[in-house]
Amino acid sequence: MSGCGGGSGGGNNDNNGGSVTPPAKVNTVTGSIDAVNTAKNSITVNGREFVVGKAMFNNEQVSNFVVLSSLKDMTVQVDTSAVKQTATVTLEPTMTGEITAIDHVKNTFTINGLELHFAGLSSEIGLNDWVMVSSLPVAPTAENGNQSYKVLSVIKFDMDGVRVDEIEGQVSSINANDNTFKIGAITISYSNIDNLTNGLWVEVEGTFDESSKKFIATEVEIDGYDNQIGENEVEGIVTWVSKDKSAFELNSRGTFTVSPITQFEDGSKQNLKLGGEVEVVYSNKSGQLVALEVEFENTGDDNDDLWEQNEFECSGLVVNYSEHPVGVSASFDIEDLSPNENHGVDCRNITINKSNAVFEDNLSFNNLNNEKLKLKVLLSMAKKSPLK
């Protein structure tokens, strides 16, 4: 394997910045590569340095893998549970595929039918190169409601045997009539669509078809942070936070509970907000992700403002409630209980998923119909709390 290109270069529950000692051991560390040391064949992820023993992609070992300077800012998962001296690193790009259009003046490129912008786009990357793109989610736009991507790195790889085109993202706009759904602005064609619901985070393998402008999926895998056991660490963007700061969602793919034992570094739980970047050490307790430590990162960008601008609330009576499939996902409208209660906000066709919705005050997925609610909504996403 060889690669070129690269990245951009860039106490207690109310702890206001005191140092938090990291745990002696976590099973996995997921995040972008902060630094590389080619002499030691090591990478630093979330402030932790690891000597790379082997690299994996798509469940296969990457042959002849060596740490290169171009790997900086790429997203990886480091498995530290099995080997003491070296670690297994799984490459975790958001998407992979061939570049079908590129403009080095505007720093834009197209992969799998999606045009992306990256200020650090390398001049060594060109048309028809096969690349791995690492990114974080960006707030949906008011114009089209599609979640987009903040590109962290674009790396060209020459790989033998494990070259697979894929894209990760949140499922939306499921159309059972033509077996399609969307990830952001990309339309995915998939024959086994009945197993999917809007709001799920999935990893899709397949091929982009230029004639139909669709990504033809051969495999769709539901992905999340609840598939790890023990204590693990992950970094990312806060994509939802409850009003009382008792829970938050990271990267649109996992909801974490804040408990009395949760410790905070460089802030407190009051600093949890949409678009904020954090590192989280968490424990998986019977499927519930409990945040043990939360460290705030000061990135200096306006990503948090973009998320907050696209957040709004709906309150009123739940009507036109239907589940699809039963017990998994539901859609409904919110009917105003008083004139102009929601100030013109469109509170129709709201979709929630049982797997990642947070309920309060004896509400549950099974008793929403005809209930009075207040919901916090992020365009195509919905999180709910009871009407006060």
Side-chain angles (χ1 to χ4, degrees):
M1 181 222 71
S2 63
C4 68
S8 59
N12 54 35
N13 236 17
D14 291 306
N15 186 313
N16 288 312
S19 176
V20 175
T21 302
K25 185 72 171 178
V26 291
N27 291 330
T28 62
V29 177
T30 302
S32 58
I33 297 175
D34 305 321
V36 300
N37 187 320
T38 56
K40 295 171 61 178
N41 205 50
S42 70
I43 59 174
T44 300
V45 182
N46 299 358
R48 304 168 184 260
E49 185 178 17
F50 304 96
V51 176
V52 179
K54 65 178 179 179
M56 305 290 293
F57 173 65
N58 195 40
N59 298 316
E60 294 186 30
Q61 184 171 349
V62 180
S63 61
N64 303 315
F65 182 87
V66 292
V67 172
L68 303 172
S69 59
S70 59
L71 295 178
K72 188 176 183 302
D73 294 321
M74 184 179 191
T75 302
V76 296
Q77 181 179 90
V78 185
D79 183 354
T80 65
S81 61
V83 182
K84 293 182 178 180
Q85 300 300 320
T86 61
T88 297
V89 175
T90 300
L91 308 181
E92 293 281 359
T94 311
M95 61 189 78
T96 62
E98 188 175 293
I99 291 182
T100 55
I102 191 167
D103 187 330
H104 282 102
V105 176
K106 296 181 179 179
N107 290 322
T108 60
F109 64 100
T110 300
I111 176 176
N112 296 335
L114 180 66
E115 184 180 77
L116 297 169
H117 177 269
F118 181 48
L121 189 62
S122 171
S123 60
E124 297 182 22
I125 294 177
L127 194 65
N128 301 323
D129 283 339
W130 190 84
V131 297
M132 290 187 176
V133 179
S134 297
S135 67
L136 289 172
V138 174
T141 64
E143 289 78 15
N144 57 30
N146 289 322
Q147 194 172 65
S148 188
Y149 301 90
K150 173 187 175 182
V151 177
L152 302 176
S153 74
V154 182
I155 303 175
K156 178 175 71 173
F157 276 94
D158 295 322
M159 305 181 71
D160 298 324
V162 292
R163 179 167 161 169
V164 177
D165 293 349
E166 66 178 31
I167 181 169
E168 289 189 2
Q170 194 172 40
V171 174
S172 66
S173 304
I174 292 177
N175 188 331
N177 293 324
D178 62 2
N179 290 321
T180 62
F181 64 95
K182 284 193 172 185
I183 291 180
I186 301 175
T187 299
I188 313 290
S189 177
Y190 184 51
S191 59
N192 197 17
I193 204 166
D194 292 340
N195 294 329
L196 300 178
T197 60
N198 289 322
L200 290 176
W201 187 274
V202 294
E203 180 179 298
V204 182
E205 293 182 8
T207 305
F208 183 76
D209 180 56
E210 286 287 352
S211 60
S212 65
K213 302 300 181 184
K214 294 179 182 179
F215 191 91
I216 311 302
T218 56
E219 182 178 348
V220 176
E221 179 182 355
I222 298 172
D223 200 5
Y225 300 127
D226 56 358
N227 58 358
Q228 304 295 334
I229 61 174
E231 294 184 7
N232 300 274
E233 181 174 311
V234 62
E235 72 170 353
I237 296 284
V238 176
T239 48
W240 169 80
V241 61
S242 66
K243 188 174 182 180
D244 63 359
K245 313 290 185 179
S246 64
F248 64 95
E249 183 184 65
L250 201 64
N251 299 328
S252 300
R253 63 196 298 183
T255 300
F256 298 84
T257 299
V258 177
S259 76
I261 67 170
T262 305
Q263 296 189 358
F264 292 86
E265 185 173 351
D266 297 329
S268 71
K269 73 176 184 179
Q270 299 307 318
N271 296 108
L272 286 169
K273 63 177 181 177
L274 283 171
E277 295 191 26
V278 295
E279 294 178 5
V280 181
V281 175
Y282 69 94
S283 175
N284 185 352
K285 298 183 177 181
S286 301
Q288 182 181 36
L289 306 181
V290 179
L292 303 177
E293 300 173 9
V294 179
E295 179 181 350
F296 296 93
E297 299 183 7
N298 183 14
T299 60
D301 62 23
D302 57 357
N303 191 45
D304 51 349
D305 294 332
L306 292 174
W307 283 97
E308 290 177 346
Q309 289 168 10
N310 286 280
E311 182 185 41
F312 59 91
E313 290 187 348
C314 288
S315 61
L317 184 69
V318 175
V319 296
N320 300 324
Y321 180 90
S322 64
E323 296 184 22
H324 45 84
V326 174
V328 176
S329 166
S331 63
F332 52 87
D333 302 332
I334 296 293
E335 186 178 86
D336 289 3
L337 292 174
S338 59
N340 201 31
E341 179 176 7
N342 290 300
H343 307 288
V345 173
D346 187 356
C347 295
R348 298 170 298 174
N349 196 28
I350 295 172
T351 298
I352 61 169
N353 290 301
K354 185 178 182 179
S355 61
N356 62 7
V358 177
F359 300 87
E360 299 176 359
D361 293 356
N362 298 318
L363 285 175
S364 73
F365 183 84
N366 300 317
N367 66 358
L368 295 180
N369 196 24
N370 296 319
E371 285 287 341
K372 297 177 181 179
L373 296 177
K374 179 180 289 183
L375 297 92
K376 185 172 288 186
V377 181
L378 183 61
L379 290 180
S380 62
M381 302 162 55
K383 299 288 181 179
K384 56 189 175 302
S385 60
L387 181 64
K388 302 299 183 182

